[in-house]
Amino acid sequence: MCGIVGYIGKRNAYPILIKGLQRLEYRGYDSAGVALVSDSGELNVYKTKGKVSDLEEYAQSKDTSGTVGIAHTRWATHGEPNNVNAHPHYSQSENLALIHPGIIENYVVLKETLQQKGYTFQSCTDTEVLVQLIEYIKVSNKVDLAKAVQMALNEVVGAYAIAVVEKSNPDLIVAARRSSPLVVGIGEDEYFLASDATPIAEYTSHVVYVDDEEIALIRRNQDVRYFSIANVEKTHEIHELEMNLSQLEKGGYPHFMLKEIFDQPRTLSDCMRGRINVGANSVALSGVIDHRQKFINAKRIVICACGTSWHAGLIGRYMIEELCRIPVEVEYSSEFRYRKPVINQGDIVVAISQSGETADTLAAIELAKQNGAFIYGICNVVGSSIPRMTHSGTYTHVGPEIGVASTKAFTAQVTVLALLALNIAHERKTISAADYTMHIQELSLIPEKVAQALKHNEQIERLSSIFTYAHNFIYLGRGYSYPLALEGALKLKEISYIHAEGYPAAEMKHGPIALIDREMPVVAIAPKRGTYEKVISNMQEVKARKGKIIAITTEGDEMVKRIADYCIPIPDTPECFVPLVGAIPLQLLAYHIAVNKGCNVDQPRNLAKSVTVE
Ligand code: G6P
């Protein structure tokens, strides 16, 4: 989704802004732009449809001087992606320029009022309405920019992070947020602002996470001041960033996605570090220990998430129900928030989100909180909105995930859910001592088993070439492998644009079996655990109709080999951990097929990494 960057200091702002936009490219966008107050006092806006590289080309011959500026990548909501709708937007007098991720919901009414007062509009965006409104308020009330922004935001309904610069005041950026993330980076005699810390990390490790409904006044050579939209001054703790630069680079891999797939043995170890102790035979999440009674007494757990995180949630349900004997429901956040769900005091809502910014999940949390639920977050991005809204939680700690299609965040979410289930089960005494020990030992072996699964990369690459031009795929699994089938299908469609469906293997005969013929590749997840024999029967049904089977199978399994056309082996592990190891071949298969097709693997069309609009 849209991303913003800003800079004020002693250096030339333009290269910093361009680099920042490149760092934000992973969020998904369709146009880019920059506004700079030049050394000669002009407010220059350059913007274009397309990539940041198109913007650079466009601005090549232009005046890119200036030590203050703001920049934006747009993911279209109001108005098609074109040069005019791209941000920044000027105000009528061209004294102000503004950038904005989010949606102004009452923009139609505001636009009509401004039109009646003589304002004209160039674009179809809601954003242009906001910059005009700020100018109108500033001029008609004879107030400064900071006051005008504050007054305007009191009239606005919707979600936003904004940054505004003023031609006549090159020493100030006014930024504000409601429901859209905003981070201020504190350097030496310079400040940065951005939608997340990735563009800031190479310049400073000191950041402030601006709160919801807050305005930041970023003045050259002065301390940043923060005010609520209701005009109450706020103070902020300065946080230390954990991110390092190498996490933002490809490290020799052709794509971030491949790097992140291969990162998983390490990220899973990082995720478990300090939480699982094989020697002491214990699992402890501080987020659970600090609220022990809540988990012991929990009557129900509701998991809310979107996309890949929702698939992790489905796996979490199987784990928690099996080990803790607590009923679990898994909800799409977008459905939960609007369907008047029954939420009881004593319910625990677990919100799962890689970005920690997904608008629907934020809204689901808000609703659950209002109804008295205890909220537990599982997030990756440290300091993002969801962890700051929850009562407790656990970070996945896998570092920035840049590829839009989630890989290492997914396996870490499943790992945290496994730790959560084991920790709660132990507290509630619903797991036997032998099972507890076995699960701890097996979970600690997962990073090594993931490394073994990665060794089949070349075999999967060769296999992928057979299926590059397939039009459809079916993914089948049962038990813990069913949500994994959904995730495998999602990976393929996200990055290769091949239609793929995940299905519980037994349900195939109630519909999808009609699709099976010699043209239909079927990925069957068939580990020698759980309902193994049943899955074999389902594979026979596919074979009888001449479908092509790619089986994910336990190393050394001869039975599946006889039925399937192609086999990708994974190391043996208890059924509940199969998704952690089985995810690897599915991620690699999707990756190689997409590469063969020439798709933009890291930034697939129409998708965004951080979905900050509902
Ligand atoms: C977007 C991303 C997906 C992600 C989903 C939920 O659609 O492209 O990869 O699974 O949002 O995001 P979250 O950050 O809440 O996990």
Side-chain angles (χ1 to χ4, degrees):
M1 294 252 133
C2 305
I4 62 172
V5 199
Y7 175 80
I8 185 164
K10 48 194 182 318
R11 298 191 243 183
N12 181 200
Y14 179 72
I16 295 170
L17 296 174
I18 290 292
K19 188 94 171 274
L21 290 184
Q22 285 162 344
R23 295 265 186 236
L24 290 174
E25 282 190 301
Y26 79 96
R27 295 168 73 91
Y29 72 106
D30 45 57
S31 40
V34 57
L36 297 152
V37 183
S38 74
D39 292 342
S40 57
E42 294 304 314
L43 176 55
N44 293 317
V45 169
Y46 309 125
K47 53 188 189 173
T48 177
K49 181 183 168 192
K51 294 285 171 196
V52 176
S53 52
D54 297 311
L55 173 65
E56 277 185 282
E57 207 178 302
Y58 173 76
Q60 216 167 30
S61 53
K62 307 274 195 293
D63 175 6
T64 53
S65 68
T67 54
V68 56
I70 53 178
H72 185 268
T73 47
R74 175 171 188 252
W75 188 86
T77 57
H78 295 61
E80 62 174 281
N82 61 27
N83 295 353
V84 178
N85 290 333
H87 303 205
H89 288 284
Y90 273 129
S91 60
Q92 183 107 327
S93 69
E94 300 195 355
N95 183 42
L96 304 178
L98 177 142
I99 51 177
H100 161 231
I103 291 178
I104 307 298
E105 286 170 15
N106 59 338
Y107 83 104
V108 175
V109 183
L110 293 172
K111 189 171 183 173
E112 280 166 9
T113 313
L114 288 163
Q115 278 168 330
Q116 281 158 17
K117 300 199 184 297
Y119 281 77
T120 53
F121 292 84
Q122 315 297 319
S123 75
C124 310
T125 65
D126 49 341
T127 303
E128 195 182 3
V129 176
L130 183 54
V131 70
Q132 302 282 43
L133 177 65
I134 293 170
E135 177 157 293
Y136 168 69
I137 289 175
K138 186 173 181 297
V139 173
S140 57
N141 292 280
K142 298 194 176 53
V143 291
D144 65 10
L145 178 62
K147 187 71 193 164
V149 168
Q150 189 213 330
M151 289 168 75
L153 294 182
N154 276 297
E155 291 190 26
V156 155
V157 179
Y160 51 78
I162 59 161
V164 200
V165 286
E166 186 176 17
K167 180 175 169 176
S168 53
N169 186 0
D171 295 328
L172 173 71
I173 301 177
V174 179
R177 66 159 285 200
R178 179 191 282 158
S179 306
S180 236
L182 182 65
V183 185
V184 173
I186 321 263
E188 279 200 13
D189 305 327
E190 58 184 358
Y191 294 108
F192 307 83
L193 67 91
S195 304
D196 63 47
T198 50
I200 297 176
E202 61 195 285
Y203 305 107
T204 175
S205 59
H206 298 133
V207 296
V208 167
Y209 300 105
V210 179
D211 275 340
D212 228 17
E213 312 230 326
E214 214 168 79
I215 301 175
L217 303 184
I218 309 170
R219 288 203 176 84
R220 199 187 294 277
N221 301 327
Q222 291 185 30
D223 287 345
V224 182
R225 296 180 70 188
Y226 304 90
F227 293 85
S228 72
I229 288 171
N231 203 23
V232 178
E233 183 145 17
K234 300 287 187 72
T235 51
H236 271 290
E237 213 182 308
I238 296 179
H239 292 265
E240 194 69 25
L241 269 187
E242 289 172 16
M243 200 180 287
N244 64 50
L245 216 49
S246 68
Q247 292 173 321
L248 304 175
E249 311 280 348
K250 288 189 198 136
Y253 287 93
H255 298 99
F256 279 109
M257 184 178 175
L258 192 62
K259 176 190 173 221
E260 287 159 3
I261 292 172
F262 273 85
D263 263 358
Q264 288 172 104
R266 185 187 52 77
T267 54
L268 293 182
S269 299
D270 289 349
C271 176
M272 286 188 244
R273 184 163 302 120
R275 295 165 171 172
I276 189 167
N277 187 332
V278 181
N281 194 37
S282 74
V283 166
L285 294 174
S286 56
V288 173
I289 303 302
D290 295 347
H291 303 274
R292 186 181 268 120
Q293 281 312 321
K294 291 243 182 276
F295 287 93
I296 291 176
N297 299 333
K299 295 269 173 300
R300 183 175 73 139
I301 292 180
V302 181
I303 298 178
C304 287
C306 305
T308 288
S309 300
W310 184 77
H311 293 156
L314 291 177
I315 298 165
R317 165 166 63 188
Y318 284 56
M319 290 170 167
I320 295 169
E321 291 198 336
E322 180 183 337
L323 301 177
C324 315
R325 310 307 298 147
I326 303 172
V328 181
E329 287 161 30
V330 188
E331 300 267 3
Y332 285 117
S333 304
S334 53
E335 289 298 316
F336 180 81
R337 65 181 286 194
Y338 284 118
R339 71 167 177 71
K340 301 198 172 46
V342 178
I343 307 163
N344 301 314
Q345 295 263 344
D347 280 352
I348 295 179
V349 169
V350 176
I352 310 176
S353 173
Q354 186 286 128
S355 63
E357 300 294 351
T358 303
D360 283 320
T361 305
L362 277 163
I365 294 173
E366 195 64 60
L367 177 70
K369 243 180 158 175
Q370 282 162 12
N371 286 276
F374 177 78
I375 320 288
Y376 194 88
I378 299 177
C379 293
N380 189 40
V381 178
V382 176
S384 55
S385 300
I386 292 176
R388 292 192 290 137
M389 273 179 76
T390 48
H391 297 111
S392 180
T394 302
Y395 281 116
T396 46
H397 281 315
V398 299
E401 187 179 66
I402 308 288
V404 164
S406 186
T407 52
K408 64 176 181 176
F410 169 71
T411 48
Q413 288 165 343
V414 175
T415 302
V416 169
L417 286 159
L419 295 169
L420 185 67
L422 284 168
N423 198 162
I424 302 174
H426 189 62
E427 292 293 338
R428 285 170 60 94
K429 304 188 178 32
T430 49
I431 189 168
S432 70
D435 265 0
Y436 185 59
T437 304
M438 181 278 284
H439 279 91
I440 288 174
Q441 287 175 351
E442 288 287 349
L443 187 56
S444 72
L445 296 175
I446 289 296
E448 177 49 37
K449 292 186 179 179
V450 164
Q452 265 170 266
L454 284 165
K455 292 197 176 128
H456 297 282
N457 179 40
E458 282 173 23
Q459 180 207 343
I460 297 169
E461 186 176 0
R462 284 194 298 276
L463 180 62
S464 71
S465 62
I466 303 171
F467 296 102
T468 303
Y469 300 103
H471 293 295
N472 298 287
F473 258 83
I474 292 181
Y475 286 68
L476 300 177
R478 295 178 80 130
Y480 285 91
S481 298
Y482 157 54
L484 182 60
L486 295 181
E487 175 59 10
L490 180 67
K491 283 293 86 81
L492 188 72
K493 60 189 148 196
E494 279 180 314
I495 59 170
S496 74
Y497 318 138
I498 294 174
H499 170 243
E501 295 219 32
Y503 242 81
E507 274 293 302
M508 181 184 64
K509 56 185 166 298
H510 300 294
I513 201 164
L515 301 170
I516 293 186
D517 61 14
R518 65 181 74 243
E519 300 293 316
M520 179 62 88
V522 175
V523 177
I525 307 164
K528 216 168 175 178
R529 295 276 185 161
T531 48
Y532 171 70
E533 279 85 14
K534 309 272 179 209
V535 179
I536 299 268
S537 308
N538 299 136
M539 287 168 61
Q540 297 283 18
E541 292 157 12
V542 173
K543 218 51 241 163
R545 288 157 185 87
K546 303 198 164 35
K548 293 272 170 299
I549 300 180
I550 304 162
I552 310 298
T553 171
T554 304
E555 274 165 7
D557 182 346
E558 290 304 317
M559 172 89 105
V560 172
K561 233 183 213 168
R562 283 200 287 275
I563 308 168
D565 296 85
Y566 312 93
C567 282
I568 310 172
I570 53 169
D572 186 36
T573 186
E575 196 198 357
C576 62
F577 300 142
V578 165
L580 290 168
V581 187
I584 304 301
L586 301 184
Q587 294 167 351
L588 287 171
L589 184 66
Y591 170 80
H592 288 298
I593 291 178
V595 170
N596 297 343
K597 289 187 73 173
C599 298
N600 186 341
V601 175
D602 284 335
Q603 292 160 35
R605 71 181 179 208
N606 305 341
L607 293 182
K609 183 74 186 159
S610 177
V611 180
T612 49
V613 296
E614 65 171 283

